[in-house]
Amino acid sequence: MRNKILHLCLVSVIALSSANAQDRKITKANKSFADYNYYKAIDQYEALVENGNTSPETYQNLGDANYFNASYREAAKWYGMLADLGPDAIDKEHMYRYAVSLRTIEKYDESDQWIAKLNAAKQGDQRGRNFSSNRDYLKKIAERSGGYTIDSLSINSSESDFSPSFHKGNIVFSTARDTSIGSKNVHNWNKKEFLNLYTATPSSSGDFMDIGPFSGKLNTKLHESSTAFTKDGNTVYFTRNNGIDGRFRRDDDGVSRLQIYRATLKNGKWENLESMPFNADNYSVAHPTLNKAEDKLYFSSDMPGTMGQSDIWVAEIRKNGSLGTPVNLGPKINSESKETFPFITEDDILYFASDGHPGLGGMDIFATDVKNLENSDIVNLGEPINSIYDDFSLIIDNDTKQGYFASNRVNGRGSDDIYSFLELRPLDFECLKDIAGIVKDKKTGAILSNANVIVYDSKNEKISETISNTDGTFALEGRCNEGNYMVVGEKESYEKGAANFENKNGSPVERIELLLSQVEQAPTGTNLAKYLKLEPIYFDFGRSFIRADARIILEKVLAYMRKYPSAKVDVRSHTDSRANNAYNIALSDRRAKSTITYLIKQGIDKSRITGRGYGETQLTNECDDNTSCSKEKHQRNRRSEFVVVG
């Protein structure tokens, strides 16, 4: 008994010691994660999983550590294991990160399902709204693809190269390459070397030469990246870590945030280095770009007022060089995720990278016209610019339509590479609004297929048109300009049905129910052309044969007579005023007989149809023998009408 008690005590001590060791490993992994040491945290968490740790926190942090290092395939694996623990294990933000990660491994259907779950769980999420208004985003991206040719560049290194900018005929770019011997300047986040600014000169072959550090004055032991130059090349805005004398300055969480600095070139040297007034210790400001007038500075930041992880902002640059209060570009561009790396062209086309809009993978590159943002679409550039990987930091020359962007796609030389491109066709920024709905019988509620659905604007101009599906549903695109619109439904044997809506910057999707009333039997004396809202049957000058356009109208008369087999119709044919009266009476009579013969051949009993010609005795306008009229006006008198007589 004594030995058994000693054995149990020993087992308990070992178990307690093992539990304490496991707790210490969890604490170390959590500390690495909290310190943004993701590279180390991944190893520590994976070791915990191998030892049987299956906690939601472990799976979530493993997913996040890989997600923030753009290892999306691994992130999808761990987010999937988190989701498998049950619906309560994965929160709304990780639903979205899981959806993005699934896109990068081309599991688009599964990704869309998680966006739909996010939509259901979090009403009002901008990313969910972006998806709801672009459910056919893959089709739209495919339609826009092929608008560019791309090439890799020899300036790329085995490290990270990105964020190019134009400067006096050269390009300046950010790179993690390290030319110093024995350097240990490595970031714990991803085990990559710190960033410096390099420059390269275009060669006659279209590639680059004379690659080297841009400025010993601007490059420090901190990160430097993302430059924007004035047109004369003598002022630069660039991104750098918050620091003093080459040493990091950190916030309460131990993070050295990004900031934008400005410097001017004098006598070949960069001087007058100054921090932008909206920089701060507790948030990042990065990736500057200047508009054509150089009176606006666009940038990315997570400053207070940001919707998500980072938003695109703009600040006025006053004539004295001071800067105004930054303004957020709003929810059409920004989302709860990342919008970053803006570039503004001379035409005020804003390019930016985002994982908050529907795309092909991680970050895709989008564009919009900020001159008319309210009525401009957010356009995904499509392949080959975008891919299932992260694509970002695009710049383009307004005149040559040549530019550069960065991507971490496979088959590159480093983790991020710079690619050149040529734009083959201009982007179309027409803003479209999705209009969807269903067509039903007003009396019975039955669904109506094959109904014609048309959208008109306030000027009665047709915007778009479609046919309702077998289940009565329809979907088409209208304009997103503010104003009043009308959706009209038409179907044979039904009166037109209409629904109005006002577009006031509301939902990107308009839901419409069109109710059509079935045509009832017309009373005696009714002109079927007016009752069925048909055009009259027109004839060519001096002819009595049934034209192709007339047969389309006659099909609707036939449908009515088949629906109401007791109806009797009198066909009344007419001519214009040209030629003499006797000729016109004979001609119109031939037209009436031609129309009657056509209807009988289509199966209508001859006892139900009568008719005769009236010549020029019942003109519809002023075009008599004494009036000179155009051919179009005379045409309106050469017609057949259908009057219900029983």
Side-chain angles (χ1 to χ4, degrees), residues 163-180:
S163 203
S165 64
F166 299 113
H167 179 241
K168 293 186 175 181
N170 298 337
I171 68 166
V172 175
F173 62 99
S174 307
T175 180
R177 72 190 69 193
D178 184 19
T179 57
S180 60

Side-chain angles (χ1 to χ4, degrees), residues 371-388:
K371 295 190 305 293
N372 188 26
L373 183 57
E374 179 181 318
N375 298 314
S376 179
D377 201 5
I378 306 296
V379 175
N380 185 302
L381 300 193
E383 296 179 303
I385 295 286
N386 288 324
S387 67
I388 61 173

Side-chain angles (χ1 to χ4, degrees), residues 147-392:
Y148 304 86
T149 59
I150 69 170
D151 286 297
S152 183
L153 300 178
S154 63
I155 63 173
N156 291 313
S157 68
S158 59
E159 299 298 332
S160 180
D161 303 285
F162 67 100
S163 203
S165 64
F166 299 113
H167 179 241
K168 293 186 175 181
N170 298 337
I171 68 166
V172 175
F173 62 99
S174 307
T175 180
R177 72 190 69 193
D178 184 19
T179 57
S180 60
I181 299 174
S183 173
K184 296 181 180 180
N185 202 16
V186 174
H187 201 304
N188 285 330
W189 180 302
N190 54 12
K191 289 300 179 185
K192 301 295 182 183
E193 293 173 355
F194 279 39
L195 300 170
N196 278 322
L197 300 176
Y198 269 53
T199 184
T201 303
S203 66
S204 58
S205 65
D207 214 324
F208 288 87
M209 57 187 181
D210 299 330
I211 304 166
F214 175 64
S215 166
K217 181 76 172 178
L218 298 183
N219 287 333
T220 67
K221 294 180 180 180
L222 305 172
H223 281 297
E224 283 85 27
S225 69
S226 307
T227 53
F229 295 89
T230 52
K231 287 189 288 291
D232 62 12
N234 293 330
T235 300
V236 62
Y237 295 81
F238 68 99
T239 305
R240 174 186 282 173
N241 278 104
N242 183 13
I244 300 175
D245 297 329
R247 297 191 304 274
F248 287 108
R249 186 171 181 172
R250 304 181 185 276
D251 63 13
D252 294 339
D253 295 325
V255 179
S256 179
R257 302 291 179 177
L258 299 177
Q259 298 186 340
I260 294 177
Y261 293 81
R262 179 169 62 189
T264 53
L265 187 64
K266 291 187 177 181
N267 300 320
K269 295 182 179 179
W270 290 102
E271 300 177 352
N272 302 321
L273 185 67
E274 58 180 324
S275 172
M276 294 297 94
F278 39 74
N279 290 335
D281 293 341
N282 59 342
Y283 58 78
S284 288
V285 181
H287 315 313
T289 181
L290 291 165
N291 69 336
K292 180 180 180 180
E294 299 178 356
D295 58 1
K296 290 181 181 178
L297 180 72
Y298 292 83
F299 57 91
S300 175
S301 178
D302 61 347
M303 65 174 57
T306 298
M307 293 179 58
Q309 296 174 47
S310 62
D311 284 2
I312 309 297
W313 296 73
V314 62
E316 177 190 4
I317 303 175
R318 303 186 183 102
K319 291 183 178 180
N320 63 3
S322 63
L323 282 93
T325 302
V327 176
N328 190 295
L329 292 193
K332 185 159 189 178
I333 290 175
N334 295 315
S335 72
E336 292 84 350
S337 290
K338 294 193 296 287
E339 279 70 43
T340 186
F341 290 101
F343 177 78
I344 191 83
T345 72
E346 292 184 358
D347 293 334
D348 283 332
I349 303 303
L350 176 69
Y351 293 86
F352 63 97
S354 171
D355 60 3
H357 293 266
L360 293 175
M363 283 197 298
D364 276 17
I365 300 173
F366 297 83
T368 192
D369 185 353
V370 294
K371 295 190 305 293
N372 188 26
L373 183 57
E374 179 181 318
N375 298 314
S376 179
D377 201 5
I378 306 296
V379 175
N380 185 302
L381 300 193
E383 296 179 303
I385 295 286
N386 288 324
S387 67
I388 61 173
Y389 301 95
D390 281 335
D391 308 292
F392 56 100

Side-chain angles (χ1 to χ4, degrees), residues 95-96 98-100 102-103 106-120 128 131-132 134-139 358-359:
M95 288 181 185
Y96 188 78
Y98 188 25
V100 171
L102 288 167
R103 285 204 304 249
E106 299 181 88
K107 293 186 176 182
Y108 293 108
D109 289 342
E110 195 175 343
S111 173
D112 292 351
Q113 291 169 13
W114 279 100
I115 297 290
K117 289 179 182 179
L118 171 68
N119 248 350
F131 171 76
S132 294
N134 287 280
R135 290 184 180 272
D136 59 345
Y137 68 96
L138 289 175
K139 177 184 175 183

